Amino acid sequence: MEKLDDIDEQLLKLLGENSKQTIKELADRVNLSHTPVFERVKRLESNGYIKKYIALIDAEKLGYGLIVFCNIKLKQHDKRIGHEFVTDILRLDEVVECYNISGDFDFLLKVYAKDMKHYQDFVFNKLGSVTSIGSTHSTFVMSENKNTYNVNF
Amino acid sequence: MEKLDDIDEQLLKLLGENSKQTIKELADRVNLSHTPVFERVKRLESNGYIKKYIALIDAEKLGYGLIVFCNIKLKQHDKRIGHEFVTDILRLDEVVECYNISGDFDFLLKVYAKDMKHYQDFVFNKLGSVTSIGSTHSTFVMSENKNTYNVNF
DNA sequence: CTTGAAAAATGGAGGGT
DNA sequence: ACCCTCCATTTTTCAAG
């Protein structure tokens, strides 16, 4: 896999900010004609630099006004329990992100809930029935000050 | 602002997963013709349910193999210091997300770094020159198990 | 809502420097 | 690897049922 040049990086940045720009618009921004830009974008897609294109949905408008980071400690630390935990977690709609982390806890979840009642129900009923969990610690988000959704390279 | 019906929600889910589907493809999936689907999508865009369309870039392929959650405690807790902190943080490319949180710490940052050396340099030189910071605590991501990028409603 | 159609814009492929 | 041209597809709008 060849390295990216400056133009490729510019295209990734532009598409990472707004993927609805046309090939022609991108071409104008990087001072090329549309053909090479088209080919470069296709190459960035097929080489996996661009993973996919998505719409960003406003969670608050859908009633999901609460973001919580939920730290999880497992009961035991063998591979089977860890795998079991991840499998169970992937099923939960409230969990939008899940990381295996260093430190006092084993996993960090980012959870979207409608309100505190919903979150309480999530912890007691959904996390409560994931048997691999030892303990949890919740950190509530009061405001989101930045989210770029992509690496800033 | 009128409420969304089931079709609107389906469209948001579909576009939140893959925004490259054509209006015709979306229409087939929700069992409608292209005209109402086109109008619904436009309405979801102009009403802000769809915030924007982006390409998801593979950070690892660009050399950013390290994700760190960095907890920050401010020196003082007045409004001016908080605002000063956020302003400084917004400038840092390594910071992809920033949240004002409850608990022992004041802010949680999600940071992308190329490697540990890069992260060390980020903490010492970049965070080190943000004078509003009192203390930091880093949690390193060992693996990302889930990331939906959008609320699962 | 559906079908159908049509104009304008874009995507995508060809040949040439 | 770039540019330009051309055709196919898609977007976007509209009319009629």
Side-chain angles (χ1 to χ4, degrees):
Chain A
M1 183 98 39
E2 343 72 52
K3 279 218 68 63
L4 303 183
D5 64 13
D6 187 52
I7 304 277
D8 291 323
E9 293 205 351
Q10 285 183 57
L11 291 172
L12 287 178
K13 281 188 213 228
L14 289 167
L15 289 170
E17 284 282 324
N18 171 20
S19 62
K20 270 293 159 85
Q21 295 169 96
T22 65
I23 296 290
K24 187 176 171 49
E25 285 167 341
L26 293 171
D28 288 344
R29 285 180 190 268
V30 300
N31 295 312
L32 285 178
S33 66
H34 74 268
T35 311
V37 172
F38 172 77
E39 285 162 353
R40 281 166 180 268
V41 172
K42 288 300 142 193
R43 191 166 45 82
L44 292 168
E45 289 169 0
S46 58
N47 288 355
Y49 287 95
I50 295 172
K51 291 194 284 189
K52 58 177 179 170
Y53 296 91
I54 64 168
L56 292 179
I57 309 303
D58 190 322
E60 262 191 89
K61 270 198 174 353
L62 294 172
Y64 288 80
L66 187 59
I67 304 175
V68 187
F69 284 96
C70 183
N71 291 272
I72 307 252
K73 211 175 289 193
L74 297 186
K75 271 183 182 146
Q76 291 130 35
H77 295 85
D78 54 279
K79 189 168 183 171
R80 194 182 60 77
I81 297 287
H83 190 271
E84 192 180 295
F85 169 78
V86 171
T87 307
D88 288 341
I89 282 307
L90 293 184
R91 283 193 246 273
L92 303 177
D93 280 344
E94 287 89 348
V95 177
V96 295
E97 300 174 33
C98 173
Y99 304 93
N100 190 198
I101 55 171
S102 70
D104 290 340
F105 291 91
D106 297 309
F107 287 92
L108 176 63
L109 310 180
K110 185 179 180 185
V111 178
Y112 276 168
K114 287 174 185 286
D115 48 37
M116 200 51 96
K117 191 174 202 67
H118 179 190
Y119 184 67
Q120 190 183 26
D121 178 74
F122 165 77
V123 172
F124 287 156
N125 294 113
K126 301 213 175 172
L127 289 188
S129 59
V130 177
T131 55
S132 50
I133 294 179
S135 66
T136 69
H137 178 85
S138 300
T139 298
F140 296 95
V141 169
M142 299 192 287
S143 68
E144 183 181 273
N145 307 109
K146 181 179 188 177
N147 197 341
T148 60
Y149 298 98
N150 272 311
V151 60
N152 306 298
F153 51 94
Chain B
M1 182 100 38
E2 345 71 54
K3 279 220 68 63
L4 304 183
D5 65 12
D6 187 52
I7 303 280
D8 291 324
E9 292 203 353
Q10 286 182 58
L11 291 172
L12 287 179
K13 279 187 213 230
L14 289 167
L15 289 170
E17 284 283 322
N18 171 18
S19 62
K20 271 290 157 91
Q21 297 168 94
T22 65
I23 295 290
K24 185 173 173 51
E25 285 168 339
L26 292 171
D28 288 345
R29 285 179 190 267
V30 300
N31 294 312
L32 284 179
S33 63
H34 65 99
T35 313
V37 171
F38 173 77
E39 285 163 354
R40 280 166 183 269
V41 171
K42 289 300 143 193
R43 205 185 68 239
L44 291 169
E45 288 169 358
S46 59
N47 288 354
Y49 288 94
I50 296 171
K51 291 194 285 188
K52 59 177 180 171
Y53 296 91
I54 64 168
L56 292 179
I57 310 303
D58 191 323
E60 262 191 90
K61 269 201 172 359
L62 294 174
Y64 288 79
L66 186 60
I67 304 176
V68 188
F69 284 96
C70 183
N71 291 273
I72 307 253
K73 211 175 290 196
L74 297 186
K75 272 184 181 146
Q76 293 128 35
H77 295 84
D78 55 279
K79 189 167 185 174
R80 194 182 60 76
I81 297 288
H83 190 270
E84 191 179 296
F85 170 78
V86 172
T87 307
D88 287 342
I89 283 306
L90 294 183
R91 282 194 248 273
L92 303 177
D93 280 344
E94 286 90 347
V95 177
V96 295
E97 299 173 35
C98 173
Y99 304 92
N100 189 198
I101 55 171
S102 70
D104 290 341
F105 291 91
D106 297 309
F107 287 92
L108 176 63
L109 310 180
K110 185 178 180 187
V111 177
Y112 276 168
K114 288 174 185 286
D115 49 36
M116 200 52 94
K117 191 175 204 65
H118 180 189
Y119 184 67
Q120 189 182 28
D121 177 73
F122 165 76
V123 172
F124 287 156
N125 293 113
K126 300 212 176 174
L127 290 188
S129 58
V130 177
T131 55
S132 49
I133 294 178
S135 67
T136 69
H137 177 85
S138 300
T139 299
F140 296 95
V141 170
M142 300 192 288
S143 68
E144 183 181 273
N145 306 108
K146 181 180 189 176
N147 198 340
T148 61
Y149 297 99
N150 270 313
V151 61
N152 305 298
F153 49 96

